[in-house]
Amino acid sequence: MTTVSDRPSTTAPSGNRTGLTPDRADHHVDVAYLETALLGRWAQIRRDSRAVAADPRFAKEEGLSMADHRARVLDQLKLLTTDADVLRAFPVHLGGSNDAGGNLAGAEDLILADPSLQIKAGVQWGLFGAAILHLGTPEQHEELLPAAMDVSVPGAFAMTEIGHGSDVASIGTTATYDEATEEFVIHTPFKAAWKDYLGNAGQHGTAATVFAQLITQGVNHGVHAFYVPIRETTKDGSAGDFKPGVGGEDDGLKGGLVGVDNGRLHFTHVRIPRKHLLARYGQVAADGTYTSPIDSPGRRFFTMLGSLVQGRVSLDGAAGVATKAGLITAITYGNQRRQFAGASETEEMVLLDYREHQRRLLPLLAETYAGHFAHERLLDLFSAVFSGEMDTPESREDLETMAATLKPTSTWRALNVLQTSREACGGAGFITENRLVSLRADLDIYVTFEGDNTVLLQLVGKRLLADYAANFKGIDGVGMARFVVERAADSVLYKTPISRIAQSILDSGSVRRSAGHLREEATQRELLTDRVESMVAELATALRPASKLTRANAAELFNNHQHELIEAARAHADLVQWEAFTKALETIEDAGTRQVLTWVRDLFGLVAVEKNLAWYLINGRLSGQRARTVTSYIDRLLARLRPHAQDLVDAFGYGPEHVRATIATGVEKERQDEAQEYYRALRASGQEPVSEKSLKGKATGGSKG
Amino acid sequence: MTTVSDRPSTTAPSGNRTGLTPDRADHHVDVAYLETALLGRWAQIRRDSRAVAADPRFAKEEGLSMADHRARVLDQLKLLTTDADVLRAFPVHLGGSNDAGGNLAGAEDLILADPSLQIKAGVQWGLFGAAILHLGTPEQHEELLPAAMDVSVPGAFAMTEIGHGSDVASIGTTATYDEATEEFVIHTPFKAAWKDYLGNAGQHGTAATVFAQLITQGVNHGVHAFYVPIRETTKDGSAGDFKPGVGGEDDGLKGGLVGVDNGRLHFTHVRIPRKHLLARYGQVAADGTYTSPIDSPGRRFFTMLGSLVQGRVSLDGAAGVATKAGLITAITYGNQRRQFAGASETEEMVLLDYREHQRRLLPLLAETYAGHFAHERLLDLFSAVFSGEMDTPESREDLETMAATLKPTSTWRALNVLQTSREACGGAGFITENRLVSLRADLDIYVTFEGDNTVLLQLVGKRLLADYAANFKGIDGVGMARFVVERAADSVLYKTPISRIAQSILDSGSVRRSAGHLREEATQRELLTDRVESMVAELATALRPASKLTRANAAELFNNHQHELIEAARAHADLVQWEAFTKALETIEDAGTRQVLTWVRDLFGLVAVEKNLAWYLINGRLSGQRARTVTSYIDRLLARLRPHAQDLVDAFGYGPEHVRATIATGVEKERQDEAQEYYRALRASGQEPVSEKSLKGKATGGSKG
């Protein structure tokens, strides 16, 4: 494991000379303590997983051809089954440990080995295997899981179609039951129904879990999953030709994840035995009679899809890890790299002492911390649901909403942070050996796969509206405030007694209009909560006429408010993260660390307010005068946090063996020191050339030149 | 050349059914007319250049290894010298046409062939060759230009050092004159002074223009350029080993532009003849006496660097072209791709009919138009200066400021548009064959090379402050308003009589506080102008104490306002583009086209206002009530422009042979039509399975399920 001393020492902050010295420089982050705190509930699993991520056998090799990269990743995938503990989610009697939460916690850091490997593993075990696990019966587990687990059958998860991405309910592939032979006939009726973008489908997969409209006895029972062999397995165990009736294409080169063999599949009347309908939520008897434990087709569909929520939870975690790696590089480099003379004529300024550089990086650092703590709560909830500890329809719905809230937030953040970090490192950021561009390219697809981010935020917005409608039939303002707090507490802090937080808001009922200081928790909570509440209420009012309109006009009314719906979901995401961060602060025992983290939380909260400042002004929540203080308080927080920036990224707990960026290893500081020493020696030698500028200055007696 | 009919037909907008039908649907874009208008002043050069960009011999071949891509690009570069007219900037007697403006206009579209080829060409002719051209004497042109022009000497432009990117004045490489041998000794004193990120330095270059501190007779005369052979030329004309004393490394893989061989160079007491100092702005006599036609070392330095402004102008144009290609793909696809049922139960909605999709893409389309017209004015100014038609210190300074304003704006926009376009195309956007990820990766470095965007904006901010300081010693508000208008007119519309525009503002002195409609040109101008003016004035006041402070304290005061300085530059960029767009509208003769473009301009202006709405509210420029109308007017503009979106991208004049994105060729529409036809036939056949949902609905008499 890494220790703090592995990393280059922090350049002393240069602000000490001035009146703007951070005003509480006596507070310090206890880096080792914070690192442990961040490891959280699954600390040992994460430590083990970081050892795997640091193992050169699993590292991405840059510049490989697509073919070589794919082959390497397939080999690595098989190696993981023996040399890493990657099957925790599967049943104990099949060699797993039935630990859904631990499984995801352990999968996150794999992105630092190679995102292609993480996604290939996600396809094999988190999608293909998980479909069998969650949608199959115990008998199907016995039959199908072992080969999925040990990768003797690499499998594709064939849900998305060319014509239908996020709208799974409308896919075109059909699975028609034939009583005569007791088989399903899997069929692709037109080109738009080809399955596409499927990992393992391009080259390595020999089977797939295929999602299709289940039709029996003339009735379409909606989307179900089927286990379909797609390629022969050759003697050496690799994938051979397509099975009869199966066809496809390789997606070829992509913008990233080049080590994953994405591809397209289509089926021409492919027959599979009846038993290969994954039958947990829907069975077809030999005579074609359909039965399901869930009567409502709509609820059945959402239950089936909901059992696959782990993909989103997993991406939320992985995006957070990549984000941390980017910030470690940018902040370490920004603490060493010097450019342009500032206060001193002989010494250039360190980049991170520039206020614009702080403005670009430190709010992202605050967001990354907020995202970290929110992800931990999401994992808690995921674990509670999937361990059965708290598996209710309500908690499943909360889990899906929270995943739909955080996955878009963290994946867009990852792209933003990696890009900003690459720019903050200038040309060096563009060189592959410094890894930022490589990570960004691989992460790009995260914002549209496993649920397009915009579509997910719209789902969140609809959930907010539905909750609102269910709770707000004619209640007053106080009731509304309570509702919002309950909802926030529900989704973020499901274990927390709702009453306590709700009460604290109600007790301070005048906060909204009072001159509460921006640094106060209650003020920030009120500002963020009020925004979600008011936006949802305004939307609900605007959409109320929909129930009386024709389908077409109602759809149009809804469409006209789509942007506000998505904005409301974003506001909800801010609140969820802020609440998770605030809750986490209570658990930080070291006083200095807690103080610094509190500033980080304040920065997160106030930047969220600043981004939406016009809303607060237009809606009379902040006066012009107070709105100005948001920005000036952010400026103060940046100055306070700047000396702690290195500690805050060091505490992420990743060493050079994980980050693998040459410029984050201290080479820049060596170069800067060498250059400074050269000039120092030159001045001391008396051999330094005189500058023409200073000569001219002397000649004219002035300083112009 | 492409014609409009090459492109897939526009799907009829589906908004006609509803009350929100665009209210002026009688206006139409004359696509052919607008295409010609956009070709502008250098129309024939651009037509020729588009033919080159469409030539498969120059096209990027995706998936090549780095070695193969580099080799291909070098071959293409040589082919350009014979098969394309790429040497227009060079002197007529050497085979050029001494047409700096036409040269840049013709270089822009090359990015659609392969950005690596464009940058390789930019390195060879726009940097290496241009340094000889602009910094060398006529004798040096005779000696050195021909081999640079015909690529018999591939050359690097060795300015940037590992330790110094944007701060060129501080580079560490020295060129010390030795009277005894009449040679300069080029030397790299420490690792941070290695030249880095240089195109042609990694592999192909046999010479370089090296920037170094010129030292003679014990005096450092500042940065000058030297012509330095770096590698042997082998018998077959390719680059061999490094020359004695020269060393370097290959930068290896990068995030994009993989076909350009970037590398590092260092020099150990490398001797070059005296005549290889590029001597236009500074000469050293045999005895070591330094002379220069520019007495001030500061002004000399900026003159030398200023002559290299064409790189920024060129990137501004190229970024605009890539941006257009991205939007063509996203909007064409968005007009064909259907997802989720909306108004109709049997027909899904086209993506571009979703309001959020419009919100994501149409403001970017407006920005792209604004950027286009601003770039045309920048090219005019560049041409006027470099043709000698208007070559004054003031016009050079205006040119540098305008380039420093637009290059950051357009290059960041390119990344934003290409990423948003890729996301708007979902998974298909991530597949390399649809080109968006490939273009984005290649464009990434544009935001930090040829002047880091943040540093450039800071330069713009300083220029605004300097102009302010020079003009504002004790004048009143009207004078201030006039100043700002003059400055804007100067930099954007340098041929326009200042008085006319200034007068129009002064006549309407009450606009700022009046209830002028947001769609009115005068209101938009006032809002955008006022913001620049006020931000600069506020900054000037805040920085006034600096003159009385110590160096350290003044530097700190300045640093504390760095963010506002950069924000002021961004506000200036909005204004410059808006003015250029508005000026261009006057030249559009077709009434329908002009009306639609006016809406596009309004959208650009109001989105710029909306992004900074908090500023307008805090500073009392807009009331809360009027601020709300900004957003609602933007919504109306989006609805109005939506039916014209395809026309507006078609008018960019690029065909499939330029865009080369499979999904923008109409395949998606074919797939959608096929799927719709399948379902139509199925319904007609009476064989369509009944849905379980509708059966359950009937059974219970309700529609719940």
Side-chain angles (χ1 to χ4, degrees):
Chain A
M1 287 314 304
T2 66
T3 61
V4 177
S5 59
D6 288 337
R7 269 157 265 123
S9 65
T10 309
T11 303
S14 64
N16 297 352
R17 282 184 290 269
T18 74
L20 277 151
T21 304
D23 44 355
R24 301 192 198 177
D26 50 320
H27 291 292
H28 290 291
V29 176
D30 181 335
V31 175
Y33 170 83
L34 182 54
E35 180 175 335
T36 303
L38 295 178
L39 281 168
R41 174 173 165 185
W42 288 280
Q44 192 51 50
I45 286 179
R46 282 185 162 132
R47 288 200 182 94
D48 294 346
S49 148
R50 287 181 190 186
V52 172
D55 186 333
R57 293 178 303 165
F58 297 112
K60 180 173 182 180
E61 195 174 321
E62 302 287 355
L64 288 181
S65 69
M66 183 174 81
D68 290 347
H69 194 179
R70 285 178 175 184
R72 178 175 166 88
V73 168
L74 181 63
D75 288 344
Q76 289 171 330
L77 189 73
K78 291 173 180 164
L79 196 58
L80 279 179
T81 64
T82 54
D83 288 29
D85 189 5
V86 287
L87 302 169
R88 293 186 191 89
F90 293 102
V92 173
H93 73 279
L94 293 175
S97 47
N98 201 26
D99 176 5
N103 179 59
L104 288 200
E108 292 161 2
D109 286 321
L110 207 53
I111 199 171
L112 294 179
D114 181 348
S116 287
L117 176 58
Q118 188 187 49
I119 294 303
K120 185 96 167 177
V123 168
Q124 180 68 22
W125 299 310
L127 291 172
F128 173 67
I132 299 168
L133 178 66
H134 295 302
L135 305 180
T137 61
E139 298 72 41
Q140 291 175 320
H141 294 170
E142 298 292 333
E143 181 195 349
L144 302 172
L145 274 184
M149 289 168 68
D150 70 9
V151 201
S152 54
V153 173
F157 180 79
M159 185 158 79
T160 295
E161 297 182 351
I162 296 179
H164 287 97
S166 297
D167 184 7
V168 177
S170 302
I171 57 173
T173 304
T174 52
T176 310
Y177 184 65
D178 179 354
E179 301 95 333
T181 58
E182 294 193 28
E183 288 171 323
F184 285 101
V185 182
I186 310 289
H187 187 63
T188 307
F190 43 77
K191 179 75 189 269
W194 283 30
K195 300 292 180 181
D196 201 359
Y197 316 120
L198 320 175
N200 272 339
Q203 195 175 339
H204 299 147
T206 56
T209 48
V210 177
F211 287 74
Q213 307 283 352
L214 189 163
I215 297 162
T216 180
Q217 298 178 334
V219 177
N220 181 346
H221 293 278
V223 176
H224 288 67
F226 301 82
Y227 183 91
V228 185
I230 57 168
R231 284 191 180 91
E232 309 293 347
T233 301
T234 62
K235 274 180 226 154
D236 69 353
S238 66
D241 293 338
F242 277 124
K243 297 263 187 190
V246 180
E249 287 173 358
D250 196 314
D251 277 331
L253 276 175
K254 307 186 298 295
L257 299 182
V258 174
V260 182
D261 56 320
N262 294 80
R264 299 160 194 151
L265 293 177
H266 55 82
F267 305 92
T268 306
H269 304 296
V270 173
R271 290 180 168 265
I272 58 165
R274 181 172 66 97
K275 66 170 182 169
H276 281 171
L277 158 65
L278 295 175
R280 180 170 173 190
Y281 295 110
Q283 305 82 35
V284 171
D287 69 353
T289 309
Y290 179 86
T291 52
S292 167
I294 304 178
D295 195 48
S296 153
R299 215 156 56 72
R300 187 189 313 136
F301 173 72
F302 286 111
T303 302
M304 285 197 270
L305 256 62
S307 68
L308 302 168
V309 69
Q310 72 175 53
R312 291 172 191 167
V313 179
S314 177
L315 294 187
D316 182 53
V321 172
T323 301
K324 289 171 188 170
L327 283 174
I328 290 170
T329 300
I331 286 179
T332 303
Y333 184 72
N335 256 329
Q336 298 180 4
R337 166 76 165 182
R338 293 175 180 276
Q339 194 78 294
F340 289 107
S344 155
E345 230 166 316
T346 54
E347 197 181 2
E348 295 168 300
M349 263 173 76
V350 163
L351 292 187
L352 204 57
D353 282 333
Y354 285 97
R355 302 291 278 175
E356 181 70 6
H357 215 71
Q358 296 166 16
R359 254 276 170 187
R360 294 177 82 185
L361 291 175
L362 299 187
L364 298 179
L365 180 60
E367 282 190 32
T368 301
Y369 266 89
H372 170 92
F373 292 120
H375 175 69
E376 293 299 290
R377 296 292 74 73
L378 177 60
L379 264 190
D380 278 343
L381 183 53
F382 174 78
S383 177
V385 169
F386 277 76
S387 68
E389 185 191 324
M390 195 179 70
D391 187 3
T392 64
E394 292 71 31
S395 61
R396 282 197 174 243
E397 207 179 347
D398 281 347
L399 171 61
E400 281 163 39
T401 303
M402 194 170 177
T405 303
L406 295 180
K407 182 266 185 182
T409 308
S410 58
T411 54
W412 268 326
R413 174 179 301 143
L415 296 191
N416 184 24
V417 167
L418 289 168
Q419 182 64 23
T420 305
S421 296
R422 118 83 194 116
E423 294 179 24
C425 296
F430 192 58
I431 306 295
T432 304
E433 72 168 17
N434 293 319
R435 210 169 178 210
L436 295 164
V437 286
S438 169
L439 274 175
R440 195 214 165 280
D442 287 332
L443 268 283
D444 188 350
I445 192 62
Y446 284 48
V447 303
T448 54
F449 74 179
E450 291 289 309
D452 176 88
N453 280 1
T454 302
V455 175
L456 290 181
L457 287 182
Q458 182 167 306
L459 287 180
V460 172
K462 285 181 177 169
R463 170 79 195 277
L464 294 175
L465 272 174
D467 282 4
Y468 180 90
N471 283 276
F472 277 83
K473 305 223 156 170
I475 61 169
D476 61 9
V478 171
M480 189 185 286
R482 184 183 295 122
F483 154 72
V484 173
V485 173
E486 282 175 3
R487 193 191 38 63
D490 263 2
S491 56
V492 184
L493 308 164
Y494 62 97
K495 285 174 175 168
T496 305
I498 285 156
S499 56
R500 195 175 55 76
I501 300 185
Q503 203 54 48
S504 75
I505 287 280
L506 295 176
D507 286 347
S508 59
S510 63
V511 164
R512 193 178 309 175
R513 275 165 215 84
S514 81
H517 289 297
L518 293 167
R519 69 169 172 271
E520 282 171 17
E521 201 168 287
T523 309
Q524 292 172 30
R525 173 176 287 125
E526 178 63 13
L527 286 169
L528 296 173
T529 306
D530 182 21
R531 183 152 187 266
V532 184
E533 167 195 320
S534 306
M535 290 175 86
V536 173
E538 199 172 324
L539 259 172
T541 305
L543 296 175
R544 192 165 299 158
S547 58
K548 293 167 199 128
L549 298 177
T550 62
R551 178 192 168 99
N553 288 344
E556 180 169 313
L557 179 66
F558 191 83
N559 191 24
N560 284 334
H561 291 279
Q562 189 189 22
H563 183 62
E564 295 100 289
L565 188 73
I566 288 166
E567 288 297 298
R570 288 182 202 269
H572 173 70
D574 287 341
L575 177 62
V576 167
Q577 294 174 92
W578 185 91
E579 288 285 4
F581 201 152
T582 300
K583 190 78 189 153
L585 287 176
E586 292 172 15
T587 67
I588 302 293
E589 290 166 4
D590 177 70
T593 303
R594 190 172 62 242
Q595 178 58 71
V596 173
L597 281 185
T598 302
W599 294 331
V600 176
R601 191 275 321 267
D602 291 349
L603 181 61
F604 173 77
L606 293 180
V607 167
V609 170
E610 191 191 43
K611 277 183 190 154
N612 302 294
L613 208 50
W615 186 90
Y616 289 100
L617 286 155
I618 289 175
N619 291 283
R621 263 54 169 200
L622 289 175
S623 66
Q625 193 50 44
R626 279 197 82 202
R628 268 182 203 274
T629 65
V630 172
T631 297
S632 59
Y633 193 51
I634 287 172
D635 286 340
R636 284 180 60 195
L637 284 168
L638 294 174
R640 272 188 199 160
L641 286 170
R642 187 260 167 274
H644 305 289
Q646 190 71 48
D647 287 347
L648 287 166
V649 294
D650 286 349
F652 291 148
Y654 299 108
E657 71 279 20
H658 298 117
V659 177
R660 298 206 302 274
T662 307
I663 50 167
T665 57
V667 291
E668 181 61 23
K669 185 166 185 318
E670 282 169 28
R671 287 193 291 250
Q672 296 284 347
D673 290 348
E674 183 201 357
Q676 286 187 29
E677 180 47 36
Y678 167 81
Y679 286 118
R680 215 169 356 243
L682 187 62
R683 280 191 300 275
S685 72
Q687 300 296 309
E688 190 184 27
V690 189
S691 83
E692 181 190 340
K693 213 168 188 172
S694 66
L695 281 179
K696 293 235 163 77
K698 277 179 204 151
T700 61
S703 65
K704 305 254 170 79
Chain B
M1 285 317 307
T2 66
T3 62
V4 177
S5 58
D6 288 337
R7 267 157 266 121
S9 66
T10 306
T11 303
S14 63
N16 297 350
R17 284 184 289 268
T18 73
L20 277 151
T21 305
D23 45 356
R24 302 194 196 174
D26 49 323
H27 291 290
H28 290 292
V29 175
D30 181 335
V31 175
Y33 170 82
L34 181 54
E35 180 175 337
T36 303
L38 295 179
L39 281 168
R41 175 172 164 185
W42 288 279
Q44 192 51 51
I45 286 179
R46 282 184 164 133
R47 287 199 182 94
D48 294 345
S49 150
R50 287 182 189 186
V52 172
D55 185 334
R57 293 178 303 163
F58 297 111
K60 180 174 182 180
E61 195 174 320
E62 301 287 356
L64 289 182
S65 69
M66 181 174 83
D68 290 348
H69 194 179
R70 285 178 175 184
R72 178 173 166 89
V73 168
L74 181 62
D75 288 345
Q76 289 171 328
L77 188 72
K78 290 173 181 164
L79 196 59
L80 280 179
T81 65
T82 54
D83 288 29
D85 189 3
V86 287
L87 301 170
R88 294 185 191 91
F90 293 102
V92 174
H93 73 280
L94 294 176
S97 45
N98 201 25
D99 177 5
N103 179 60
L104 288 200
E108 292 160 3
D109 286 321
L110 206 54
I111 199 170
L112 294 178
D114 181 348
S116 287
L117 176 58
Q118 188 186 50
I119 295 302
K120 185 95 166 175
V123 167
Q124 179 68 20
W125 299 311
L127 291 173
F128 174 68
I132 299 168
L133 178 65
H134 295 302
L135 304 180
T137 61
E139 298 72 41
Q140 291 175 323
H141 295 171
E142 298 293 333
E143 181 196 347
L144 302 172
L145 275 183
M149 289 168 69
D150 70 9
V151 202
S152 53
V153 173
F157 180 78
M159 186 158 79
T160 296
E161 297 182 351
I162 296 178
H164 286 96
S166 297
D167 185 7
V168 177
S170 301
I171 56 173
T173 305
T174 51
T176 309
Y177 185 64
D178 178 356
E179 302 96 332
T181 59
E182 293 193 26
E183 288 171 325
F184 285 100
V185 182
I186 311 289
H187 186 64
T188 307
F190 43 77
K191 180 76 189 272
W194 283 32
K195 299 295 180 182
D196 200 359
Y197 316 120
L198 320 174
N200 272 339
Q203 195 174 340
H204 299 146
T206 56
T209 48
V210 177
F211 287 74
Q213 307 284 351
L214 189 164
I215 297 162
T216 179
Q217 298 178 334
V219 177
N220 182 345
H221 293 276
V223 175
H224 289 65
F226 301 83
Y227 183 90
V228 184
I230 58 168
R231 283 191 181 91
E232 308 293 345
T233 301
T234 63
K235 273 180 226 152
D236 69 354
S238 66
D241 294 337
F242 277 125
K243 296 263 187 189
V246 181
E249 286 173 356
D250 196 313
D251 277 331
L253 276 174
K254 307 184 300 292
L257 299 181
V258 174
V260 182
D261 56 319
N262 295 78
R264 298 160 195 152
L265 294 177
H266 56 83
F267 305 91
T268 306
H269 304 297
V270 172
R271 290 179 168 265
I272 59 166
R274 182 171 65 95
K275 66 171 182 172
H276 281 172
L277 158 65
L278 296 175
R280 180 170 172 189
Y281 295 110
Q283 305 84 34
V284 171
D287 69 353
T289 308
Y290 179 86
T291 53
S292 168
I294 304 177
D295 195 48
S296 152
R299 213 157 57 72
R300 188 191 311 140
F301 173 73
F302 286 110
T303 302
M304 284 197 271
L305 255 64
S307 67
L308 303 167
V309 70
Q310 74 175 51
R312 291 173 191 166
V313 178
S314 178
L315 294 188
D316 182 54
V321 172
T323 301
K324 289 170 187 169
L327 283 173
I328 290 169
T329 299
I331 286 179
T332 303
Y333 184 71
N335 255 329
Q336 298 181 5
R337 167 76 165 183
R338 293 175 183 278
Q339 192 79 295
F340 289 106
S344 156
E345 230 165 319
T346 54
E347 195 180 6
E348 295 168 298
M349 259 171 82
V350 164
L351 292 189
L352 204 58
D353 282 334
Y354 286 98
R355 302 289 278 172
E356 181 70 5
H357 215 71
Q358 295 167 15
R359 254 278 171 184
R360 293 176 83 183
L361 291 175
L362 299 187
L364 298 180
L365 180 60
E367 280 189 34
T368 302
Y369 266 89
H372 170 92
F373 292 120
H375 174 69
E376 294 299 288
R377 295 293 73 72
L378 177 60
L379 265 190
D380 279 342
L381 183 53
F382 174 79
S383 178
V385 168
F386 277 76
S387 67
E389 187 191 324
M390 196 180 69
D391 186 4
T392 64
E394 292 71 32
S395 62
R396 282 197 173 241
E397 208 181 346
D398 282 348
L399 172 60
E400 282 162 38
T401 304
M402 193 170 177
T405 302
L406 295 179
K407 181 266 184 182
T409 308
S410 58
T411 54
W412 267 326
R413 173 180 301 142
L415 296 191
N416 184 24
V417 167
L418 289 168
Q419 181 64 23
T420 305
S421 296
R422 120 78 193 120
E423 293 179 24
C425 296
F430 193 59
I431 306 294
T432 303
E433 72 169 18
N434 293 320
R435 210 170 180 211
L436 295 164
V437 286
S438 168
L439 274 176
R440 196 216 165 277
D442 286 333
L443 268 283
D444 188 350
I445 192 61
Y446 285 48
V447 302
T448 54
F449 75 178
E450 292 286 312
D452 176 87
N453 280 2
T454 303
V455 175
L456 290 180
L457 288 182
Q458 183 166 306
L459 286 181
V460 172
K462 285 181 178 171
R463 169 77 195 278
L464 295 174
L465 272 176
D467 283 5
Y468 180 90
N471 284 273
F472 278 83
K473 304 224 156 171
I475 63 168
D476 60 6
V478 172
M480 190 185 286
R482 184 185 293 124
F483 153 72
V484 174
V485 173
E486 281 177 4
R487 196 192 33 65
D490 262 2
S491 57
V492 184
L493 309 162
Y494 61 97
K495 283 175 178 169
T496 308
I498 286 156
S499 54
R500 196 177 52 74
I501 301 184
Q503 201 56 46
S504 74
I505 286 279
L506 294 177
D507 287 348
S508 59
S510 62
V511 164
R512 192 179 310 175
R513 273 163 217 87
S514 82
H517 290 298
L518 292 168
R519 68 168 174 274
E520 282 172 16
E521 201 167 289
T523 308
Q524 293 172 31
R525 173 177 285 124
E526 178 61 13
L527 286 169
L528 296 174
T529 306
D530 181 20
R531 183 154 187 267
V532 184
E533 168 196 317
S534 305
M535 291 176 87
V536 173
E538 198 172 326
L539 259 173
T541 305
L543 295 175
R544 192 165 300 157
S547 58
K548 292 171 201 122
L549 298 177
T550 62
R551 179 195 169 99
N553 288 344
E556 180 170 313
L557 179 66
F558 191 83
N559 191 24
N560 284 334
H561 292 279
Q562 190 190 21
H563 182 63
E564 296 101 288
L565 188 73
I566 288 166
E567 287 298 299
R570 288 184 202 268
H572 173 70
D574 288 341
L575 176 62
V576 167
Q577 294 174 91
W578 185 92
E579 288 285 2
F581 201 154
T582 301
K583 189 78 191 157
L585 288 176
E586 293 172 15
T587 68
I588 302 293
E589 290 166 4
D590 177 70
T593 303
R594 191 173 59 242
Q595 179 57 72
V596 174
L597 281 186
T598 302
W599 293 332
V600 176
R601 192 276 319 269
D602 291 349
L603 182 60
F604 173 77
L606 293 179
V607 166
V609 170
E610 192 190 45
K611 278 183 189 155
N612 301 293
L613 208 51
W615 185 90
Y616 288 100
L617 287 156
I618 289 176
N619 292 281
R621 264 51 170 204
L622 289 174
S623 67
Q625 193 50 45
R626 280 198 80 201
R628 269 184 202 274
T629 65
V630 172
T631 297
S632 59
Y633 193 53
I634 286 172
D635 286 340
R636 285 181 59 196
L637 284 169
L638 294 175
R640 271 187 198 161
L641 286 171
R642 187 265 168 269
H644 306 289
Q646 190 72 50
D647 286 347
L648 287 166
V649 295
D650 286 350
F652 290 149
Y654 299 109
E657 71 280 20
H658 297 118
V659 178
R660 300 207 302 274
T662 307
I663 48 168
T665 57
V667 290
E668 181 61 24
K669 186 170 185 318
E670 283 170 29
R671 286 193 292 250
Q672 297 285 347
D673 290 348
E674 183 200 358
Q676 286 187 30
E677 180 48 37
Y678 167 82
Y679 285 118
R680 213 166 2 240
L682 187 62
R683 280 191 300 273
S685 72
Q687 300 298 309
E688 189 185 28
V690 189
S691 84
E692 181 190 341
K693 212 167 187 170
S694 68
L695 282 179
K696 291 235 163 81
K698 275 175 203 151
T700 61
S703 65
K704 303 257 169 80

